[in-house]
Amino acid sequence: MNPEASQMPSPGGAVQAPAFDVSTVKPSQSSRGASLWPTPDGYIANGITLRQLVQVAYRFFNKQFVIGGPAWVDTDKFDFEAKFDASHITSTKPLTDRQRTELLQPVLAERFQLKLHKDKKAFPVYNLLPAKGGLKVRASLKPAGTECTIMGGQGVDVVVSCTMEEFAEHMWYPTGRTVIDKTGLTDRYDFELHWTPDDTPPNSPNADSPSIFTAVQEQLGLRLEPGTAPLDVLIVDSAEEPTPN
């Protein structure tokens, strides 16, 4: 890849984000689950499949939305690293998490000869809507420009400086479906959400918490309404196993 080319001004005058300067891909010997984490100069992943890398790079967190491809995209595991040139690290700091992960897309295209396209398919969803009684969360107290973060554990979310659209995107994890923001709210919010996951043992500390659906209504003043919607899916047209380096 040519990082200098990625710095050239676009036709509108804006400077494009830098590209990753170096990427390494090797067959993984890891017996653990897949892991990927950001570093100051890029990303490192261990024991990860190509389908999982695609999910991260294109932000399709539910694997049922990434369709097709040869069988090995689900079975072959790789140790993967992508790094920015040292001279570009400072310019990458303002990037959001979404912008940073999207920079992995050309790396996957180059290293795996990945070709894909988007399509639409109908799926069950939940619509996030206002509930009777009004909103029960407060506008964020963080400075303008603070990036959304959602932290927590089993049955707990701590939401800081997030829009409802960002929160809805995260809600796939506890609900098992895509959640579509239909609240009409545009502010950023800070709040906590406590619920009992379906697989919680009876003696768990949060076993007495409500279901995710009740928690959203009682604690946030919102509701999750089931529905169906056409959603984007990624179709993997072709991919080739990479040459290790």
Side-chain angles (χ1 to χ4, degrees):
M1 279 176 283
N2 183 353
E4 296 303 326
S6 69
Q7 295 284 336
M8 293 294 290
S10 65
V15 177
Q16 298 177 2
F20 288 109
D21 182 60
V22 176
S23 65
T24 60
V25 184
K26 299 176 182 179
S28 178
Q29 305 302 318
S30 175
S31 59
R32 300 180 179 180
S35 62
L36 181 144
W37 62 96
T39 62
D41 61 352
Y43 284 96
I44 294 177
N46 293 124
I48 197 165
T49 66
L50 176 56
R51 193 176 305 278
Q52 290 168 326
L53 283 169
V54 170
Q55 286 179 248
V56 172
Y58 288 86
R59 301 184 72 83
F60 279 69
F61 301 117
N62 188 335
K63 68 178 182 180
Q64 68 176 319
F65 296 153
V66 182
I67 301 170
W72 63 263
V73 303
D74 290 307
T75 57
D76 289 10
K77 296 182 178 182
F78 302 94
D79 292 336
F80 171 90
E81 184 173 8
K83 298 178 68 174
F84 297 112
D85 183 270
S87 64
H88 296 154
I89 292 176
T90 300
S91 66
T92 67
K93 290 182 178 180
L95 297 179
T96 65
D97 179 63
R98 179 185 293 272
Q99 291 169 329
R100 223 170 183 263
T101 55
E102 287 176 349
L103 295 179
L104 292 169
Q105 295 175 15
V107 179
L108 301 185
E110 179 183 325
R111 296 308 310 275
F112 292 89
Q113 297 302 298
L114 178 67
K115 293 181 175 59
L116 44 75
H117 69 277
K118 285 186 178 180
D119 205 343
K120 293 279 188 182
K121 185 177 179 181
F123 285 95
V125 300
Y126 289 113
N127 295 310
L128 185 66
L129 298 160
K132 292 181 179 179
L135 190 65
K136 298 180 180 179
V137 299
R138 69 182 184 187
S140 179
L141 300 177
K142 297 294 183 181
T146 301
E147 189 173 351
C148 168
T149 59
I150 302 179
M151 302 171 290
Q154 190 78 343
V156 180
D157 276 337
V158 179
V159 178
V160 179
S161 188
C162 293
T163 64
M164 286 302 168
E165 182 179 6
E166 290 168 329
F167 174 62
E169 182 179 87
H170 165 80
M171 286 293 285
W172 172 81
Y173 295 100
T175 66
R177 294 186 186 182
T178 294
V179 176
I180 300 174
D181 172 35
K182 292 189 176 181
T183 63
L185 301 170
T186 57
D187 288 339
R188 292 186 172 272
Y189 298 92
D190 299 335
F191 57 87
E192 292 188 15
L193 185 64
H194 299 258
W195 77 95
T196 301
D198 292 339
D199 58 353
T200 301
N203 60 348
S204 174
N206 63 344
D208 294 332
S209 297
S211 71
I212 185 65
F213 303 96
T214 301
V216 166
Q217 186 157 345
E218 291 182 348
Q219 299 170 31
L220 307 185
L222 303 171
R223 60 190 173 93
L224 291 165
E225 180 182 88
T228 303
L231 301 177
D232 286 337
V233 294
L234 277 179
I235 311 294
V236 178
D237 298 312
S238 61
E240 298 178 12
E241 295 201 54
T243 301
N245 67 322

